[in-house]
mmCIF file of all heavy atoms in Angstrom:
data_model
loop_
_atom_site.group_PDB
_atom_site.id
_atom_site.type_symbol
_atom_site.label_atom_id
_atom_site.label_comp_id
_atom_site.label_asym_id
_atom_site.label_seq_id
_atom_site.Cartn_x
_atom_site.Cartn_y
_atom_site.Cartn_z
ATOM 1 N N THR U 231 5.836 31.872 -10.607
ATOM 2 C CA THR U 231 4.782 31.501 -9.664
ATOM 3 C C THR U 231 5.057 32.118 -8.300
ATOM 4 O O THR U 231 6.191 32.489 -7.980
ATOM 5 C CB THR U 231 4.611 29.959 -9.597
ATOM 6 O OG1 THR U 231 3.519 29.636 -8.749
ATOM 7 C CG2 THR U 231 5.862 29.265 -9.090
ATOM 8 N N THR U 232 4.005 32.237 -7.517
ATOM 9 C CA THR U 232 4.140 32.791 -6.171
ATOM 10 C C THR U 232 3.032 32.204 -5.304
ATOM 11 O O THR U 232 2.254 31.349 -5.749
ATOM 12 C CB THR U 232 4.076 34.330 -6.203
ATOM 13 O OG1 THR U 232 4.291 34.830 -4.887
ATOM 14 C CG2 THR U 232 2.736 34.854 -6.701
ATOM 15 N N ASP U 233 2.956 32.668 -4.084
ATOM 16 C CA ASP U 233 1.911 32.221 -3.158
ATOM 17 C C ASP U 233 1.763 33.317 -2.109
ATOM 18 O O ASP U 233 2.614 34.221 -2.005
ATOM 19 C CB ASP U 233 2.323 30.879 -2.517
ATOM 20 C CG ASP U 233 1.257 30.310 -1.582
ATOM 21 O OD1 ASP U 233 0.072 30.684 -1.726
ATOM 22 O OD2 ASP U 233 1.612 29.502 -0.701
ATOM 23 N N THR U 234 0.727 33.206 -1.319
ATOM 24 C CA THR U 234 0.499 34.206 -0.272
ATOM 25 C C THR U 234 1.736 34.379 0.619
ATOM 26 O O THR U 234 2.479 33.428 0.853
ATOM 27 C CB THR U 234 -0.711 33.810 0.604
ATOM 28 O OG1 THR U 234 -0.891 34.825 1.592
ATOM 29 C CG2 THR U 234 -0.504 32.482 1.313
ATOM 30 N N TRP U 235 1.922 35.575 1.119
ATOM 31 C CA TRP U 235 3.037 35.832 2.055
ATOM 32 C C TRP U 235 2.653 35.386 3.467
ATOM 33 O O TRP U 235 3.503 35.233 4.329
ATOM 34 C CB TRP U 235 3.373 37.331 2.073
ATOM 35 C CG TRP U 235 3.898 37.843 0.772
ATOM 36 C CD1 TRP U 235 4.459 37.114 -0.248
ATOM 37 C CD2 TRP U 235 3.950 39.216 0.345
ATOM 38 N NE1 TRP U 235 4.839 37.925 -1.279
ATOM 39 C CE2 TRP U 235 4.536 39.226 -0.938
ATOM 40 C CE3 TRP U 235 3.556 40.425 0.911
ATOM 41 C CZ2 TRP U 235 4.737 40.410 -1.659
ATOM 42 C CZ3 TRP U 235 3.762 41.600 0.203
ATOM 43 C CH2 TRP U 235 4.349 41.585 -1.075
ATOM 44 N N ILE U 236 1.350 35.231 3.690
ATOM 45 C CA ILE U 236 0.894 34.866 5.040
ATOM 46 C C ILE U 236 0.071 33.581 4.942
ATOM 47 O O ILE U 236 -1.109 33.595 4.603
ATOM 48 C CB ILE U 236 0.091 36.022 5.676
ATOM 49 C CG1 ILE U 236 1.013 37.230 5.862
ATOM 50 C CG2 ILE U 236 -0.471 35.627 7.039
ATOM 51 C CD1 ILE U 236 0.774 38.389 5.033
ATOM 52 N N SER U 237 0.717 32.478 5.232
ATOM 53 C CA SER U 237 0.029 31.193 5.153
ATOM 54 C C SER U 237 -0.899 31.007 6.342
ATOM 55 O O SER U 237 -0.758 31.694 7.373
ATOM 56 C CB SER U 237 1.053 30.059 5.117
ATOM 57 O OG SER U 237 1.663 30.011 3.848
ATOM 58 N N MET U 238 -1.792 30.031 6.195
ATOM 59 C CA MET U 238 -2.739 29.751 7.280
ATOM 60 C C MET U 238 -1.974 29.392 8.557
ATOM 61 O O MET U 238 -1.064 28.552 8.512
ATOM 62 C CB MET U 238 -3.672 28.614 6.872
ATOM 63 C CG MET U 238 -4.659 29.050 5.809
ATOM 64 S SD MET U 238 -5.770 27.716 5.298
ATOM 65 C CE MET U 238 -4.765 26.890 4.065
ATOM 66 N N GLY U 239 -2.308 30.062 9.633
ATOM 67 C CA GLY U 239 -1.605 29.842 10.906
ATOM 68 C C GLY U 239 -0.573 30.923 11.197
ATOM 69 O O GLY U 239 -0.032 30.994 12.289
ATOM 70 N N GLN U 240 -0.279 31.780 10.188
ATOM 71 C CA GLN U 240 0.757 32.820 10.388
ATOM 72 C C GLN U 240 0.150 34.222 10.496
ATOM 73 O O GLN U 240 0.865 35.208 10.328
ATOM 74 C CB GLN U 240 1.728 32.833 9.193
ATOM 75 C CG GLN U 240 2.479 31.554 8.977
ATOM 76 C CD GLN U 240 3.447 31.658 7.815
ATOM 77 O OE1 GLN U 240 3.272 32.474 6.915
ATOM 78 N NE2 GLN U 240 4.460 30.826 7.827
ATOM 79 N N GLU U 241 -1.143 34.292 10.737
ATOM 80 C CA GLU U 241 -1.845 35.580 10.689
ATOM 81 C C GLU U 241 -1.200 36.634 11.595
ATOM 82 O O GLU U 241 -1.164 37.811 11.250
ATOM 83 C CB GLU U 241 -3.325 35.393 11.050
ATOM 84 C CG GLU U 241 -4.150 34.658 9.987
ATOM 85 C CD GLU U 241 -3.903 33.161 9.890
ATOM 86 O OE1 GLU U 241 -3.248 32.600 10.799
ATOM 87 O OE2 GLU U 241 -4.359 32.531 8.915
ATOM 88 N N SER U 242 -0.652 36.197 12.739
ATOM 89 C CA SER U 242 -0.080 37.181 13.684
ATOM 90 C C SER U 242 1.208 37.819 13.138
ATOM 91 O O SER U 242 1.654 38.840 13.644
ATOM 92 C CB SER U 242 0.195 36.518 15.030
ATOM 93 O OG SER U 242 1.189 35.536 14.858
ATOM 94 N N GLU U 243 1.807 37.199 12.105
ATOM 95 C CA GLU U 243 3.067 37.729 11.551
ATOM 96 C C GLU U 243 2.829 38.697 10.395
ATOM 97 O O GLU U 243 3.783 39.147 9.748
ATOM 98 C CB GLU U 243 3.942 36.576 11.038
ATOM 99 C CG GLU U 243 4.366 35.604 12.118
ATOM 100 C CD GLU U 243 4.937 34.315 11.524
ATOM 101 O OE1 GLU U 243 5.693 34.385 10.539
ATOM 102 O OE2 GLU U 243 4.594 33.247 12.049
ATOM 103 N N LYS U 244 1.573 38.998 10.107
ATOM 104 C CA LYS U 244 1.217 39.740 8.893
ATOM 105 C C LYS U 244 1.999 41.047 8.722
ATOM 106 O O LYS U 244 2.673 41.243 7.695
ATOM 107 C CB LYS U 244 -0.285 40.017 8.868
ATOM 108 C CG LYS U 244 -0.742 40.610 7.573
ATOM 109 C CD LYS U 244 -2.246 40.695 7.493
ATOM 110 C CE LYS U 244 -2.636 41.439 6.229
ATOM 111 N NZ LYS U 244 -4.070 41.594 6.081
ATOM 112 N N GLU U 245 1.929 41.928 9.702
ATOM 113 C CA GLU U 245 2.548 43.259 9.544
ATOM 114 C C GLU U 245 4.049 43.152 9.291
ATOM 115 O O GLU U 245 4.593 43.779 8.384
ATOM 116 C CB GLU U 245 2.273 44.125 10.779
ATOM 117 C CG GLU U 245 0.807 44.487 10.982
ATOM 118 C CD GLU U 245 0.122 44.984 9.706
ATOM 119 O OE1 GLU U 245 0.741 45.810 8.994
ATOM 120 O OE2 GLU U 245 -1.003 44.542 9.406
ATOM 121 N N GLN U 246 4.691 42.292 10.093
ATOM 122 C CA GLN U 246 6.138 42.114 9.985
ATOM 123 C C GLN U 246 6.517 41.553 8.607
ATOM 124 O O GLN U 246 7.456 42.016 7.955
ATOM 125 C CB GLN U 246 6.547 41.150 11.093
ATOM 126 C CG GLN U 246 8.022 40.888 11.213
ATOM 127 C CD GLN U 246 8.265 39.563 11.953
ATOM 128 O OE1 GLN U 246 7.392 39.038 12.641
ATOM 129 N NE2 GLN U 246 9.455 39.027 11.787
ATOM 130 N N LYS U 247 5.735 40.573 8.133
ATOM 131 C CA LYS U 247 6.077 39.938 6.856
ATOM 132 C C LYS U 247 5.876 40.902 5.689
ATOM 133 O O LYS U 247 6.677 40.914 4.759
ATOM 134 C CB LYS U 247 5.259 38.662 6.662
ATOM 135 C CG LYS U 247 5.780 37.523 7.523
ATOM 136 C CD LYS U 247 5.183 36.200 7.149
ATOM 137 C CE LYS U 247 6.140 35.345 6.370
ATOM 138 N NZ LYS U 247 5.640 34.011 6.083
ATOM 139 N N ILE U 248 4.840 41.703 5.750
ATOM 140 C CA ILE U 248 4.595 42.640 4.648
ATOM 141 C C ILE U 248 5.810 43.555 4.468
ATOM 142 O O ILE U 248 6.223 43.839 3.340
ATOM 143 C CB ILE U 248 3.278 43.424 4.868
ATOM 144 C CG1 ILE U 248 2.099 42.477 4.614
ATOM 145 C CG2 ILE U 248 3.188 44.652 3.958
ATOM 146 C CD1 ILE U 248 0.749 43.033 4.978
#
Side-chain angles (χ1 to χ4, degrees):
T231 184
T232 183
D233 183 22
T234 181
W235 295 340
I236 296 111
S237 286
M238 289 180 276
Q240 299 182 336
E241 289 74 12
S242 65
E243 298 166 41
K244 188 172 174 181
E245 294 313 315
Q246 183 201 342
K247 284 192 104 175
I248 287 172

